[in-house]
Amino acid sequence: MKKTKWIILTIIIACQLIVVLDASIMVTAIPQIGRALQMSATSLTWVQNAYILPFGGFLLLGARAGDLLGRRRMLLIGIGLFSLASMLAGLSPTAEFLLVTRAFQGFSAALATPAALALLSASFVEAKERAKAIAMYSAVSAGGGSVGLLLGGFFTDFISWRVGMFINVPIGIALLFMVHRFIQQTGTRAGRFDLGGAIVSVFGMSALVYGFVQAADRGWGKPETWISFAAGIVLLAAFVLIESRAAEPIIPLRLFANRQRSGAYLGRFLMVGGNFSLFFFIPQFLQNVLGFSSLEAGLAFLPFTVAQFGMMYLIPGLVQRYGNRKVLMAGLLLAIIGTLWMSRIVTVQAQFFPQMFILLTIMGIGAGMVFQPLTVLGLTDVDPQDNGAASGLINVAHQSGSSLGLAVLISVFHVAVHTDQPSKMQFAHGVSNAILGSVLFITAALVATLLCFLPARQAFRTSALPEK
């Protein structure tokens, strides 16, 4: 791989890393944020979802903007706004200000991320180079969350949770310089923005997430809970209608015509729905039940992180020998086994070593085997004019799965706990139930991929894109 390509790949991976980190870097700081800004346990979930929802909801608009205005330009705009939003979030004097700036961060990330992935697809066209680049990108996308836990814990214990936001500023400035220096200007073309579709999709997903949070906070029988669910369903149905009629939709529905692509999007949505929630619940269990500090809770995820990143180097060989399909299925099975076992040992008597250590390693290996095949399959047979939309849709599935999965499993947790001030035993019971819910999400991902991929007659090859 040429030196310039390595630099471009470094820029893309660094950009992806900071936006993925910010989905989890606040998790180990949640107890401190709650005390500093006087936020309740339920409202603290919005520290995550305020970032994830606009990130996922505006990704397709960001992808469209990259197609029309130029991907290099949108990458520069996205990184610049993300750096500004991060600085403001770090300065937050109130809970409301923090949530608004987190949403601003998410919107900015939605502009940068699809541009970065589309630039990767355009820069690496040779099969082996693209496979290697996608493997590295997928490892960062999947493993960045656990790195965020570690960094967030370190900053929280030794400096302040606010540093987790401030650190994005110098990184963003460095990335702006490197993008300007090493990435050439990309083409633009005439077209229209599907702003209505983007806004309806964001409000639809937000209404569903809000419904689950309301159910956890006030109960399933409250009218506002079901009104929120109904609004979410109606808005998402309206979104599909808008996309089917729009001259230039942010999601061309033809992307779902390929069964493998559809399975990859659905499988990613469900896998992340179960997997991301572990980053929220397990650190809370380690701190609130086992007495870990914020840093110790972040360090506890090192087995997961090391295993997941380690798979980055093994995946190309495994795919070459066994094919994407078998590697994907094996990874999902390992993730299910590790997560199910974890749900059984999360008690007040739990010991981190060796049980949780071993299981986090197994879960990390499983996750590390899943995301590269899903990324590859999500870009299968995409027409050049749809590269941006397909890249955005991969990330939409990732972020939407994160937000909805977390909202669902927080509701499961609160139903099991029945109180705002749970004892250690009650807290452990709630976390155990939530992790069991993660198992159901990942199992559903396995079923979805089986249904979409097993009937296919072709074998997946070592190339970055499966053959027809």
Side-chain angles (χ1 to χ4, degrees), residues 127-412:
K128 289 184 179 179
E129 284 189 351
R130 174 178 277 200
K132 191 172 185 178
I134 288 179
M136 296 176 70
Y137 179 90
S138 299
V140 168
S141 298
S146 49
V147 176
L149 294 177
L150 177 59
L151 287 177
F154 175 82
F155 292 140
T156 300
D157 274 358
F158 291 102
I159 313 175
S160 168
W161 62 268
R162 297 177 187 273
V163 178
M165 298 289 96
F166 290 142
I167 197 173
N168 291 327
V169 179
I171 295 174
I173 292 171
L175 283 174
L176 287 173
F177 170 78
M178 293 182 71
V179 171
H180 183 77
R181 173 70 175 78
F182 294 104
I183 296 181
Q184 295 181 352
Q185 189 65 264
T186 55
T188 62
R189 61 185 178 88
R192 290 181 291 179
F193 289 103
D194 182 15
L195 186 59
I199 292 174
V200 169
S201 68
V202 170
F203 278 102
M205 279 300 300
S206 298
L208 285 182
V209 170
Y210 184 75
F212 282 107
V213 173
Q214 284 291 99
D217 192 29
R218 300 192 179 186
W220 288 92
K222 297 295 182 180
E224 54 265 36
T225 299
W226 292 105
I227 290 172
S228 182
F229 282 136
I233 293 170
V234 169
L235 286 169
L236 291 177
F239 171 70
V240 174
L241 183 62
I242 289 171
E243 298 308 283
S244 68
R245 296 182 176 182
E248 298 182 41
I250 55 172
I251 296 186
L253 297 184
R254 59 181 173 271
L255 287 174
F256 298 100
N258 183 295
R259 195 173 185 184
Q260 292 176 3
R261 278 202 305 266
S262 297
Y265 302 142
L266 179 58
R268 193 181 198 96
F269 175 88
L270 294 168
M271 174 65 184
V272 176
N275 199 54
F276 179 81
S277 301
L278 299 173
F279 296 117
F280 185 86
F281 288 106
I282 292 179
Q284 303 308 305
F285 169 79
L286 293 172
Q287 292 180 78
N288 293 323
V289 178
L290 299 189
F292 281 37
S293 68
S294 297
L295 176 58
E296 289 170 337
L299 286 170
F301 262 82
L302 273 179
F304 188 102
T305 306
V306 171
Q308 191 168 35
F309 274 101
M311 291 307 299
M312 176 181 69
Y313 298 99
L314 299 178
I315 280 293
L318 290 173
V319 169
Q320 181 176 6
R321 183 169 182 177
Y322 299 107
N324 280 295
R325 182 191 304 170
K326 290 181 180 179
V327 171
L328 175 59
M329 299 303 167
L332 287 168
L333 284 171
L334 278 176
I336 290 168
I337 291 168
T339 308
L340 179 60
W341 196 351
M342 181 69 78
S343 73
R344 308 314 303 162
I345 68 165
V346 173
T347 66
V348 291
Q349 292 84 27
Q351 294 183 339
F352 177 76
F353 192 86
Q355 287 179 310
M356 293 185 71
F357 182 95
I358 293 172
L359 292 179
L360 284 169
T361 302
I362 293 172
M363 293 155 66
I365 292 171
M369 296 172 68
V370 165
F371 288 105
Q372 183 194 343
L374 287 176
T375 300
V376 169
L377 293 163
L379 297 173
T380 300
D381 296 333
V382 175
D383 293 332
Q385 70 268 23
D386 290 333
N387 272 337
S391 301
L393 196 50
I394 288 172
N395 284 289
V396 167
H398 201 103
Q399 301 305 325
S400 299
S402 299
S403 58
L404 192 60
L406 181 58
V408 170
L409 296 181
I410 282 173
S411 180
V412 171

Side-chain angles (χ1 to χ4, degrees), residues 81-112:
L81 291 177
F82 187 84
S83 301
L84 174 62
S86 298
M87 183 179 68
L88 294 174
L91 295 171
S92 296
T94 65
E96 293 78 10
F97 192 89
L98 175 62
L99 297 184
V100 169
T101 53
R102 286 285 282 169
F104 184 24
Q105 272 189 304
F107 173 75
S108 305
L111 300 181

